[in-house]
Every structure is written in structure tokens, then in C-alpha cells.
Amino acid sequence: MLVGAGGHAKVVIEVARAQGRFEIVGVVDPRPPGPRVLGVPVLGGDEALPRLRADGVAWAFVALGGNALRERIGGELRAAGFRLATLVHPSAEVMPSATVGEGAVVMARVAVSAEARVDDLAILNTGAVVEHDNLIGAAAHVAPLAALAGNVRVGARALIGVGSAVRPGVSVGADAVVGAGAAVVADVPAGATVGGVPARPLRARGGAAAR
Ligand SMILES: CC(C)(COP(=O)(O)OP(=O)(O)OC[C@H]1O[C@@H](n2cnc3c(N)ncnc32)[C@H](O)[C@@H]1OP(=O)(O)O)[C@@H](O)C(=O)NCCC(=O)NCCS
């Protein structure tokens, strides 16, 4: 059972189907865009969860792109007795010494290298490179084609933007945002938003710090 019926859920459904380990019985979303997502029926909003668990649905997956929301819903599903599935596309290369947590998804053509650790509920999006000894925190999101060199640490719920690059050994703090196409060459404080080449703190259009 998936929570979330948006664009991210579509990709998650394709990954789960390609992996072939789970049968998807339905999607739960209080405001779905339609009655089905890639042919998977929408079963209702959050009120459907206890019935699904009672009917024997044991595994759940949070298919929501928002990091804090995904973390919160993941905790609620566990408290309701669900186990969180780990989804890995067959075209991804996850080295044997790497680990991927529960509720995490590894999309198509991702590379996860030696002794990297990917914590629960993280997203490694299409084509991302997570090099050796990386630590990807819980509910973090490494966006498509982002490249993390060796020994990078990404804090919980951080977003590493599409196509960005992170220099070896850099730490990105919890809840930080790395903008699309950035080159991160120094540590990023928790909660900061950075962008550019080399990455600097970004300012919102009003002139205040973006985050
Ligand atoms: C960094 C980011 C979060 C900022 O978003 P935002 O707060 O809405 O910022 P705005 O679009 O209002 O832009 C604010 C300023 O930052 C600049 N800026 C925005 N994104 C930037 C980026 N990636 N690199 C460099 N500068 C950027 C804008 O040009 C603007 O500058 P200006 O005031 O001189 O015109 C966003 O642009 C971004 O890159 N998100 C990554 C999304 C992503 O990869 N998602 C993964 C989906 S799978």
C-alpha cells in the first residue's frame, strides 16, 4: 500500500513493479488527482489505513516527495503496525557493502558505492551517484543526477537538488537545501539554502535569507 498519489508516486509504482517483490494493492491519499494512479486504485484517505492493516496489508511505502511529511507519515504507519518496504530498481547498482534503510527508494540507474549508508525513508532519485562511505540521513532526498563524492554526509530531511555536485568529505546539515546545479565545496549549515558554483547561501527575492 502506498501513501501519496502524485508524480513521485508514479515513479515509485514503476520501481516497485520492476523490482517485482511486492504486489501493490492500492494508494491512500486524501486529495488524489484521480481514481487510479498508473492503474493502481485509490482506496481513500487516511481513514482507510486501519481497515487495510486489519485486512492483512503488512507493507506500506510513503510515496511523498516532501521530506518532513514523509518522515512523519512513515512514523505514523509504523505506529499503526505497518512495515516500511525498501524499493530498489533493478537497474540501480547498490554495492554489497552498502546499506539501504526501510522506507527508502533507490530509483533507476542510481549508484550506491562501498560502505555507503542510506537511512530510512530516504529518496535516491534517478541517476544519483552516492559514492563510498556516504551517510544519507533519514528522509533526505538526493535528486536526479546529483553526485555525492566520497565521505559526504547528508543530514536528515536535507534536499540535494537536481544535477548538483558535492565535494568529498563535505557535510550538508539537517533540513538544508542544495539548489539545482550547485557545486558544494564547503559544509552547509543545518536549515540553510545554498546554490550556485561554488555554492553560496541563497537570498529570497525579498532580500531576506531564503531559509
Ligand atoms: C534553491 C531553491 C530551493 C530556491 O527556491 P526558492 O526559494 O523558490 O527561490 P526563488 O526561485 O525565489 O529564487 C531566489 C533567488 O535564488 C536564485 N536561485 C534559485 N535557485 C537557484 C539555484 N538552483 N542556483 C542558483 N541560484 C538560484 C534565483 O535566481 C533568485 O535570485 P534573484 O533574487 O537574484 O532573482 C530552488 O530554486 C531549487 O534549486 N530547488 C531544487 C529542486 C530540486 O532539485 N528538486 C528535486 C525534485 S526531484
Side-chain angles (χ1 to χ4, degrees):
M1 182 273 297
L2 301 183
V3 175
H8 180 60
K10 290 184 192 173
V11 192
V12 167
I13 288 168
E14 297 276 26
V15 171
R17 285 175 173 163
Q19 185 178 21
R21 190 172 162 221
F22 298 99
E23 176 198 353
I24 309 172
V25 296
V27 170
V28 168
D29 192 317
R31 284 177 295 279
R36 303 178 88 82
V37 185
L38 294 189
V40 179
V42 178
L43 303 174
D46 299 348
E47 76 288 345
L49 293 173
R51 176 173 50 81
L52 287 166
R53 184 68 199 94
D55 286 351
V57 177
W59 294 88
F61 189 89
V62 193
L64 298 169
N67 293 345
L69 180 62
R70 189 171 63 258
E71 184 175 58
R72 178 167 68 74
I73 303 278
E76 290 174 6
L77 289 172
R78 281 175 160 155
F82 291 96
R83 287 200 64 187
L84 300 183
T86 303
L87 301 180
V88 181
H89 193 275
S91 69
E93 297 274 3
V94 180
M95 289 189 176
S97 59
T99 59
V100 180
E102 295 178 359
V105 60
V106 180
M107 304 292 199
R109 298 190 175 278
V110 166
V112 185
S113 196
E115 294 202 321
R117 191 183 101 198
V118 180
D119 284 349
D120 293 357
L121 290 153
I123 299 171
L124 303 185
N125 223 320
T126 309
V129 173
V130 172
E131 258 306 331
H132 65 88
D133 299 299
N134 269 218
L135 174 52
I136 309 298
H141 179 177
V142 183
L145 287 177
L148 310 180
N151 292 300
V152 165
R153 300 174 82 86
V154 175
R157 299 170 302 280
L159 169 64
I160 310 296
V162 59
S164 59
V166 184
R167 175 171 157 170
V170 159
S171 290
V172 176
D175 300 296
V177 175
V178 170
V184 183
V185 297
D187 289 355
V188 178
T193 298
V194 300
V197 181
R200 306 268 188 233
L202 284 183
R203 301 209 158 260
R205 292 225 154 87
R211 246 172 164 245

